[in-house]
Amino acid sequence: MRDWLFYLVIAGVVAFAASSWWGVRRLRAKHTRSAVWEQTHSPDLGRQKVAVVLNPIKARSAEARALIEAACAEAGWEPPGIFETTAEDPGFSQARAAVASGADVVLACGGDGTVRVVAEVLAGTDTAMGLIPLGTGNLLARNVHLEVNDLQGNVAAALFGHQRFIDTARMTVENVRTGESAEHTFLVIAGMGMDAEVVSDTNDGLKKAVGWLAYTEAGVRHLPGRRKKVSIALDDQPEQSRKIRSVLFANCGLIPGGIDFIPQAMIDDGMLDVVVMSPRSAIGWLAMYTKIVLKHKKDLPVMTYYRSGKITIRCSEPMPTQIDGDPSGEATTVTVQVAPGSLLVRVKDGAGGD
């Protein structure tokens, strides 16, 4: 039985990798999607004060720091302020200190968690955020057309590139059984249900070895399962009752592997794209997978799309949640709301769209 499951997982990983490669080719060939609408503009600041919120345990963090310091020195600017994250503080106090130092741009140098924390502090301010992706997902960087493996190019974009405003979103999770509640900012995709189960149950060792493909192994293990009854309210409209496996809230939709998971999701349209998934069997999952990878426009009964500025979901039993690929606790009530044009982000010149 274990051998059968092992081979099934391997086959799933190979199939996902092959389809992802095909998705990348289709995306590059057709140019049908722009992750952003607004054109970029030059900051025109001349001399800049730079701060860096750095996760020191990430691979290439030392190299990134050296490149940033060298670029600032070559430009004739003062040395950047370096604020390192810790296990106790993933970057909140460091980002606040960076803003208090008078920085014109704060570089988020780490994985998706570091980027999300820095964005939460900078949202609603005039301080720009530069992206130096060092993680495995690098979700926001992909959605603003940065080459995630081009460290030198990303440093150049963060310091000398153009900039643009994008939307952020805030998710409030409440658990009536424990009395706990929390609020989280996210930038790409948050979710409730099976997707959060997969995020929580992904093997860390496998993730370090194969990157984002590790989620496939956890996904295969969590395919069996029952649907759960929830109520969904969009923009304070009357609630509707649904049985679901997962609900996603997308600010933008490009994920690793070249998969354009939610093609209609735009990062600066002031709306969230909500995907309600309710497959009952493996056939339903296969139909959804085929639709996503091949970009079929035909509607599926097990996959419903909505657009809304605010979403509230209630359920009788706690369900796991996730924000940009990180677990965010169990909830019986989830409220998600978009904050239009709330974050200024540095991007490559002319990266306003295809």
Side-chain angles (χ1 to χ4, degrees):
M1 178 65 180
R2 289 183 177 179
D3 290 342
W4 177 84
L5 180 59
F6 173 77
Y7 289 123
L8 178 62
V9 169
I10 293 299
V13 170
V14 171
F16 184 79
S19 59
S20 297
W21 170 82
W22 176 246
V24 172
R25 291 196 60 184
R26 285 172 57 89
L27 185 63
R28 289 177 176 173
K30 298 184 74 172
H31 297 286
T32 56
R33 177 185 185 274
S34 170
V36 289
W37 286 356
E38 178 192 325
Q39 293 300 311
T40 63
H41 59 276
S42 174
D44 292 328
L45 292 175
R47 293 178 62 85
Q48 295 185 83
K49 188 166 186 178
V50 178
V52 181
V53 176
L54 174 72
N55 185 340
I57 69 171
K58 290 293 185 181
R60 306 186 73 185
S61 61
E63 182 184 356
R65 176 172 180 165
L67 285 171
I68 295 166
E69 291 174 336
C72 289
E74 186 175 349
W77 304 341
E78 64 181 85
I82 306 294
F83 302 86
E84 293 189 351
T85 65
T86 65
E88 296 75 25
D89 189 336
F92 288 105
S93 63
Q94 293 86 343
R96 294 188 189 103
V99 173
S101 73
D104 298 300
V105 59
V106 178
L107 276 54
C109 197
D112 290 322
T114 302
V115 171
R116 188 176 61 253
V117 168
V118 173
E120 182 166 338
V121 174
L122 297 185
T125 74
D126 294 327
T127 305
M129 181 173 74
L131 298 172
I132 312 296
L134 301 178
T136 54
N138 304 312
L139 297 176
L140 180 62
R142 296 174 191 274
N143 278 275
V144 294
H145 306 303
L146 294 178
E147 296 292 337
V148 296
N149 296 316
D150 182 8
L151 184 55
Q152 189 165 3
N154 290 328
V155 170
L159 295 177
F160 311 110
H162 284 201
Q163 57 192 27
R164 55 165 300 100
F165 285 99
I166 66 170
D167 301 338
T168 63
R170 195 158 188 84
M171 182 166 75
T172 302
V173 294
E174 301 173 80
N175 189 332
V176 296
R177 293 193 179 181
T178 63
E180 297 177 339
S181 65
E183 291 187 353
H184 308 279
T185 292
F186 69 94
L187 303 167
V188 182
I189 298 177
M192 182 181 192
M194 179 190 161
D195 65 295
E197 294 173 355
V198 170
V199 165
S200 298
D201 201 25
T202 298
N203 183 280
D204 289 335
L206 188 60
K207 189 176 178 180
K208 290 180 180 178
V210 300
W212 54 268
L213 285 173
Y215 293 108
T216 305
E217 183 271 340
V220 170
R221 286 190 282 110
H222 282 274
L223 282 180
R226 65 183 181 87
R227 301 186 302 169
K228 296 181 179 179
K229 187 175 181 179
V230 302
S231 68
I232 302 175
L234 305 173
D235 287 327
D236 297 319
Q237 295 298 311
E239 295 181 346
Q240 54 177 295
S241 181
R242 296 287 302 272
K243 287 187 176 180
I244 61 101
R245 286 297 308 279
S246 186
V247 181
L248 297 178
F249 318 99
N251 190 36
C252 46
L254 190 63
I255 61 176
I259 299 297
D260 202 357
F261 192 79
I262 307 172
Q264 63 269 37
M266 299 290 175
I267 203 170
D268 61 357
D269 61 356
M271 299 292 286
L272 291 169
D273 290 82
V274 185
V275 185
V276 179
M277 296 179 285
S278 54
R280 296 182 178 181
S281 64
I283 295 176
W285 286 115
L286 181 61
M288 288 171 43
Y289 180 80
T290 302
K291 174 181 173 62
I292 293 167
V293 172
L294 300 182
K295 298 183 174 63
H296 286 317
K297 295 183 178 180
K298 184 177 180 180
D299 292 334
L300 293 176
V302 296
M303 192 175 189
T304 310
Y305 293 87
Y306 302 95
R307 285 173 57 78
S308 181
K310 179 182 178 182
I311 309 98
T312 300
I313 297 182
R314 305 181 193 278
C315 51
S316 58
E317 58 182 293
M319 295 178 66
T321 65
Q322 61 86 14
I323 47 171
D324 288 347
D326 287 329
S328 50
E330 292 193 334
T332 52
T333 301
V334 167
T335 303
V336 184
Q337 188 161 7
V338 68
S342 53
L343 182 64
L344 188 61
V345 177
R346 289 282 173 87
V347 295
K348 294 187 295 185
D349 293 355
D354 292 332

